[in-house]
Amino acid sequence: EEMDNATFKSDTVLSDIHLHCPNKRHLMVRLNAVGQPVFVSYFKLLWNTEDSASEKHTREATTEGEHQYRSGDELCDRGRNSLKKERKLNREGVEALLDDDGDLEVVRRPRSASDVEAEDLSRDRVYPVILMKGREDAFEDEQKCICSDVVKIEHTMATPLEDVGKQVWRAAFLLADYVLFQRDTFRCCSVLELGGGTGIASIIMGTVAKRVYCTDVGEDLLAMCEQNVALNKHLMEPGRGEVKVKELDWMKDEFCTDPEAPYSWSKEEIADLHDQCTVIMAADVFYDDELTDAFFRTLYRITHNLRNSCTIYLALEKRLNFTLRHMDVTCEAYSHFRSTLSDLENLQDRKMKYTAEPIKADFCQFLIYERIEQL
């Protein structure tokens, strides 16, 4: 009952990642502090690790099956075709489960696809499995996934709006793709992520950067993020790739330095950030106008104190909605983001100058998700 009240409400938000991959295997490991079920998912990096970053146009992206594709567009097309086939199989399966009166005969698991149909599927038909904490050794097939090209992430499937950071979102995958595509650019950098959420972008960045400060707010969320960093230590190079999880509240003007508070900053860490940071990144944090304003205030405050010039990478998804106020399909959150970004560019500051330019999202795709045109 506690789990239902915390999870299934009228304002519940569901990640598009899991809408796009409804049959992807997920293990429910436990309930978090507020009663939400926590799942663990495995995300495979689709690339040939022997390729260098300079060979970006010839790098092969290898799927979990036997097929290889040369570009992100081909991966998207393949994913869409697989999804259509899965939906068709699901419909046929449901029709087969109806009795003579048209009532649905419920079964515990989806029926398996035939051998012929299974050959064309890019992943197995699977189902969520409840996994008791501390019993992961009971699943040998899942343990085999712990290798150098698999990211393991604990997350929730659906949350109220205020807890969306506990889910995995497409823009985080887009940002992670860009980091992998331009990994030589980020090698040995000191990086700050604002609104890190589950930490997947920081973890990917940690495979090439020297140090990453992954920041967000909320002890429950930060604990989940720290757990994900620990789960992916196998991706980091020895002696490099340090990811530190820290609290950074955009509504406050100062870093949290209370030694009694979890995920607080030490004076040495703040000094290191100001002296060494040359990259700031954020993914899918522009969905609320008040938070967008707070984000840019925090961004200005931090960059104003950096010793070196800094490049900021922002990834987001334009979520279109029909509004009665406009009587049209709009994306007000994106419009406010662009307006605020323009204000930052026009800011008259004798010390700082900000310029913005778009990056085309046509680079190679290394993670399975639907790279829609709104990204």
Side-chain angles (χ1 to χ4, degrees):
E1 183 177 354
E2 181 183 5
M3 178 179 69
D4 288 348
N5 289 337
T7 307
F8 305 105
K9 301 195 301 183
S10 60
D11 63 345
T12 293
V13 180
L14 177 64
S15 169
D16 293 324
I17 295 298
H18 307 297
L19 288 173
H20 178 61
C21 306
N23 292 332
K24 192 172 182 68
R25 187 177 183 87
H26 300 286
L27 302 178
M28 193 183 96
V29 293
R30 62 181 178 277
L31 301 181
N32 62 19
V34 294
Q36 298 161 341
V38 176
F39 292 82
V40 58
S41 296
Y42 296 85
F43 300 106
K44 185 174 177 61
L45 301 180
L46 308 177
W47 67 345
N48 186 340
T49 55
E50 294 179 358
D51 292 338
S52 67
S54 61
E55 298 170 325
K56 57 186 177 182
H57 296 299
T58 59
R59 185 185 298 119
E60 293 181 345
T62 306
T63 66
E64 293 181 32
E66 298 176 353
H67 304 286
Q68 293 184 339
Y69 308 96
R70 290 285 181 177
S71 71
D73 290 339
E74 292 176 54
L75 279 172
C76 285
D77 292 339
R78 181 66 178 177
R80 293 190 190 100
N81 292 336
S82 296
L83 188 58
K84 289 178 182 177
K85 291 175 183 177
E86 288 171 5
R87 286 172 177 167
K88 180 179 179 182
L89 290 173
N90 288 340
R91 285 197 303 270
E92 293 174 351
V94 170
E95 291 171 1
L97 296 175
L98 297 179
D99 61 17
D100 295 336
D101 298 326
D103 298 321
L104 182 65
E105 294 181 349
V106 179
V107 295
R108 296 184 65 85
R109 297 178 184 175
R111 292 186 175 183
S112 298
S114 67
D115 294 339
V116 176
E117 293 167 327
E119 289 177 359
D120 292 330
L121 294 176
S122 62
R123 55 183 176 273
D124 295 332
R125 183 181 294 277
V126 292
Y127 50 90
V129 176
I130 297 178
L131 178 64
M132 300 301 293
K133 190 175 182 181
R135 292 292 305 280
E136 292 185 60
D137 56 327
F139 293 85
E140 284 187 24
D141 58 329
E142 298 299 332
Q143 283 297 298
K144 291 177 183 177
C145 290
I146 305 301
C147 54
S148 60
D149 60 353
V150 171
V151 184
K152 183 178 179 182
I153 297 292
E154 289 191 3
H155 59 90
T156 57
M157 291 286 201
T159 62
L161 185 61
E162 61 268 20
D163 283 335
V164 291
K166 296 175 183 176
Q167 298 187 53
V168 183
W169 299 95
R170 273 192 290 236
F173 276 175
L174 183 72
L175 183 58
D177 271 347
Y178 188 75
V179 170
L180 293 172
F181 180 66
Q182 296 282 4
R183 55 191 184 277
D184 285 347
T185 300
F186 302 106
R187 202 171 299 280
C188 299
C189 287
S190 183
V191 181
L192 170 68
E193 182 176 13
L194 298 173
T198 60
I200 186 168
S202 283
I203 290 167
I204 295 298
M205 179 65 84
T207 64
V208 293
K210 177 182 179 181
R211 182 174 296 108
V212 182
Y213 290 100
C214 181
T215 68
D216 215 308
V217 65
E219 186 174 345
D220 196 41
L221 172 59
L222 292 171
M224 174 184 287
C225 183
E226 187 174 53
Q227 169 71 356
N228 287 332
V229 171
L231 290 173
N232 292 281
K233 286 291 187 183
H234 60 282
L235 298 174
M236 315 297 175
E237 294 184 21
R240 286 178 44 198
E242 181 183 22
V243 179
K244 292 189 173 185
V245 179
K246 296 294 176 181
E247 177 182 331
L248 185 56
D249 190 342
W250 305 343
M251 298 298 180
K252 298 179 180 178
D253 294 332
E254 301 293 338
F255 291 94
C256 177
T257 56
D258 182 0
E260 299 297 323
Y263 310 107
S264 63
W265 297 72
S266 67
K267 292 182 179 179
E268 291 76 17
E269 288 169 336
I270 296 174
D272 176 70
L273 176 71
H274 289 157
D275 291 343
Q276 303 297 328
C277 181
T278 56
V279 174
I280 297 177
M281 61 181 185
D284 238 334
V285 298
F286 306 109
Y287 55 88
D288 176 89
D289 290 355
E290 185 180 2
L291 285 176
T292 296
D293 293 339
F295 171 88
F296 278 101
R297 287 196 301 268
T298 300
L299 190 65
Y300 175 79
R301 175 173 56 85
I302 292 175
T303 54
H304 204 269
N305 289 305
L306 295 182
R307 172 175 293 183
N308 303 301
S309 60
C310 179
T311 306
I312 304 157
Y313 296 90
L314 306 178
L316 69 157
E317 178 180 340
K318 292 182 283 187
R319 292 181 172 84
L320 303 174
N321 296 287
F322 179 83
T323 62
L324 291 175
R325 187 159 67 92
H326 295 90
M327 292 302 293
D328 197 1
V329 175
T330 63
C331 184
E332 294 184 293
Y334 177 74
S335 298
H336 185 76
F337 157 75
R338 289 303 301 262
S339 174
T340 312
L341 180 62
S342 179
D343 291 342
L344 187 66
E345 284 189 276
N346 296 328
L347 184 67
Q348 298 296 324
D349 189 315
R350 285 177 291 181
K351 179 181 178 182
M352 305 291 295
K353 179 176 176 57
Y354 299 87
T355 59
E357 60 184 68
I359 298 175
K360 290 184 178 180
D362 58 356
F363 43 86
C364 291
Q365 187 165 343
F366 300 93
L367 290 155
I368 296 179
Y369 64 102
E370 189 176 11
R371 189 181 284 183
I372 60 175
E373 64 181 32
Q374 287 78 26
L375 282 171

